[in-house]
Amino acid sequence: MHRRLNRILVTGGCGFIASNFILSLLERRSDLLIVNLDKLTYAGNRMNLQELEQKQDRKQNTGYRFIQGDIIDQILVEQLLAEHRIQAVLNFAAESHVDRSIHDSAPFIATNIQGTHTLLEAARKAGIELFLQVSTDEVYGTLGPEGLFTEETPLAPNSPYSASKASADLLVRAYHETYGMPTVITRCSNNYGPFQFPEKLIPLMITLAWEDKPLPVYGDGANVRDWIHVLDHCRGVELAMDQGRPGAIYNFGGDAERTTLQVVTAILDLLGKPHSLIRHVQDRPGHDRRYAMDFSLAARELKFAPTRSFEKGLLETIQWYEHNREWLRRVEDGSYREFMNTWYGGRQ
Ligand code: NAD
Ligand code: TYD
């Protein structure tokens, strides 16, 4: 199967992964219209896509439109699908941080579940050609020391974040089974790379280490994540958009299992900082021990393969943050500092 979709609604396009997705796609495909619907929460930054907006200011054709709005807004979503004759919805929009979901789960239920439902309903009424749901390995829960998550692993989410993502996946599945909607679900492991909000492990540790501040490692630091460069994830989503089987679920992983301590010491070594900056703090409640992905289905059906080694990708990511300190200064607004003080203040 090969689809040629030209008119796409991307939700959450000002966030980490979708801004990389939009930039990488529009760099290569001049036949596309991408409408980006984003609420601009604390995690959404319009400046991630400023190169596209600057081109528009110079009256150059970019194939890009930005709409500020909420995916829960049914009238707005229906209007956008009709007005732009949208063929595919790619739902990246989400509340995405596990720690915030522990602190206050309400926005996760609203955006991740209700928002996905609104998009599905609007897509059903519009007779959309593809609904692609960007999901996560966290819906599978946790692994022991052995084994990998496959697409058949039962869903067993442990945090409010992962429970909200699993709920959305089930709604997407139901719309395929009940209404025959052409859906694809992609489930990816932990991403890192440019534009990641500095509440997530890698950019948080980079920015703290620069200032010689303590690096908070939850519990014993032996929790394992399978790290993937964001552009490898974006390539996977593009392949799933072009070739994914209707009703299919595809796992994507980076083939790079690392413990938190391995990641943090690698960052300290690359920055030339002492390991004594590491502080073991109170563990995250419900902390999943290990994630690791079997992505052989995506490899077989989509020819997906991660291309960047973790060590090279990490070095490039550190360099990106070093060259983009102004970006960091602008995203670290009051609400970010407030959350970080409340969360870490109680955990030292
Ligand atoms: P992010 O938090 O960086 O960005 C989320 C974006 O969604 C922001 O631009 C935000 O403004 C927007 N948004 C939030 N609520 C919205 C709403 N109600 N309406 C419209 N826009 C809204 O997230 P991310 O890390 O880029 O993750 C993107 C997607 O990928 C999410 O669905 C996430 O679950 C999934 N995912 C993330 C990872 C990861 O490691 N970051 C791994 C696997 C899957
Ligand atoms: P995170 O980036 O929040 O992603 P996720 O929880 O979705 O996997 O965290 C990655 C790992 O790093 C996870 O095992 C929790 C751990 N971690 C810390 O030890 N300290 C921190 O300050 C953060 C943010 C995460």
Side-chain angles (χ1 to χ4, degrees):
M1 132 160 302
H2 198 97
R3 294 182 195 89
R4 196 68 189 173
L5 299 162
N6 302 101
R7 309 178 72 81
I8 300 169
L9 178 70
V10 168
T11 69
C14 297
F16 163 47
I17 300 173
S19 54
N20 278 287
F21 180 79
I22 293 173
L23 288 171
S24 88
L25 210 59
L26 288 180
E27 208 175 74
R28 287 171 293 112
R29 283 175 65 169
S30 55
D31 58 334
L32 277 182
L33 170 69
I34 297 186
V35 178
N36 169 16
L37 172 62
D38 196 301
K39 185 178 172 181
L40 298 182
T41 68
Y42 78 94
N45 295 291
R46 209 168 156 177
M47 73 183 137
N48 296 2
L49 296 163
Q50 70 184 6
E51 63 180 79
L52 294 174
E53 296 201 4
Q54 282 166 353
K55 276 190 190 166
Q56 282 173 331
D57 292 344
R58 295 195 297 271
K59 305 276 179 262
Q60 286 174 257
N61 185 22
T62 55
Y64 173 71
R65 301 276 179 288
F66 171 67
I67 311 287
Q68 182 170 4
D70 197 321
I71 59 167
I72 295 174
D73 185 342
Q74 180 101 30
I75 294 169
L76 173 64
V77 174
E78 285 182 10
Q79 183 198 320
L80 288 178
L81 296 188
E83 185 183 331
H84 298 284
R85 291 180 288 115
I86 295 294
Q87 297 167 297
V89 174
L90 274 57
N91 185 24
F92 289 82
E95 287 292 336
S96 68
H97 189 33
V98 174
D99 294 334
R100 280 183 187 255
S101 82
I102 297 168
H103 184 63
D104 177 13
S105 55
F108 291 73
I109 307 307
T111 289
N112 300 1
I113 306 178
Q114 202 187 328
T116 303
H117 177 252
T118 302
L119 293 171
L120 284 165
E121 264 304 286
R124 181 177 72 81
K125 289 186 193 160
I128 218 83
E129 291 175 47
L130 175 70
F131 189 101
L132 190 149
Q133 174 70 3
V134 178
S135 186
T136 164
D137 58 357
E138 305 195 22
V139 298
Y140 298 122
T142 188
L143 288 166
E146 302 294 324
L148 302 170
F149 294 132
T150 73
E151 290 82 358
E152 271 75 52
T153 302
L155 302 189
N158 291 317
S159 71
Y161 163 68
S162 53
S164 69
K165 292 296 290 184
S167 307
D169 285 11
L170 293 178
L171 281 169
V172 174
R173 175 193 150 84
Y175 270 66
H176 175 70
E177 295 295 329
T178 304
Y179 304 110
M181 183 183 285
T183 61
V184 171
I185 297 173
T186 60
R187 294 188 179 137
C188 191
S189 60
N190 285 61
N191 285 221
Y192 68 95
F195 298 117
Q196 187 166 32
F197 197 80
E199 65 190 356
K200 305 282 169 42
L201 180 72
I202 289 180
L204 177 67
M205 297 297 158
I206 295 170
T207 50
L208 289 173
W210 280 345
E211 296 178 26
D212 298 305
K213 288 190 176 154
L215 272 49
V217 167
Y218 298 158
D220 64 3
N223 301 68
V224 173
R225 298 292 182 264
D226 173 5
W227 293 95
I228 183 171
H229 192 277
V230 63
L231 290 175
D232 280 330
H233 180 196
C234 290
R235 177 73 186 136
V237 173
E238 185 181 348
L239 290 167
M241 173 177 84
D242 291 342
Q243 300 167 41
R245 235 183 328 108
I249 298 170
Y250 296 104
N251 282 355
F252 300 134
D255 242 345
E257 284 186 56
R258 300 286 186 280
T259 65
T260 304
L261 273 179
Q262 284 173 324
V263 172
V264 173
T265 50
I267 292 170
L268 288 170
D269 292 345
L270 286 167
L271 293 176
K273 298 282 183 177
H275 294 190
S276 56
L277 286 176
I278 294 173
R279 289 284 183 289
H280 288 272
V281 299
Q282 189 188 335
D283 207 353
R284 171 190 279 174
H287 196 175
D288 288 331
R289 195 64 177 165
R290 179 171 164 259
Y291 302 148
M293 288 299 241
D294 175 344
F295 53 85
S296 53
L297 181 69
R300 221 171 34 248
E301 290 194 7
L302 306 176
K303 305 284 172 280
F304 165 81
T307 60
R308 285 167 184 78
S309 80
F310 181 67
E311 282 63 33
K312 183 165 179 282
L314 185 63
L315 175 63
E316 285 170 3
T317 302
I318 290 177
Q319 289 166 344
W320 186 87
Y321 281 96
E322 275 168 355
H323 293 138
N324 289 278
R325 287 182 189 241
E326 176 59 17
W327 179 89
L328 272 170
R329 200 187 56 73
R330 286 170 64 184
V331 301
E332 289 179 355
D333 68 354
S335 87
Y336 166 72
R337 253 172 257 127
E338 194 185 303
F339 170 73
M340 298 303 268
N341 287 338
T342 319
W343 182 253
Y344 288 105
R347 306 184 73 75
Q348 301 293 332

